[in-house]
Amino acid sequence: MIVTGHILMLGGIVVILDRATEYSFQTALITIVPVYALLWSGLRKGVGSICHMS
């Protein structure tokens, strides 16, 4: 259920950026996925964990 929510959230964000900006779907996708991953990691383990990721 959580994975489905993440996929829907990411897909929605990418489609919105594709339609609302001049960026292509691919550009929005490769920009949003790493940002989303960092934010999710920070929320799961605390903000300090982002600095200590290796």
Side-chain angles (χ1 to χ4, degrees), residues 11-40:
I13 292 169
V14 170
V15 169
I16 288 169
L17 283 175
D18 179 42
R19 306 244 171 141
T21 66
E22 62 204 31
Y23 299 115
S24 68
F25 181 88
Q26 290 83 6
T27 301
L29 185 65
I30 64 172
T31 303
I32 290 301
V33 169
V35 171
Y36 189 89
L38 283 173
L39 290 174
W40 179 247

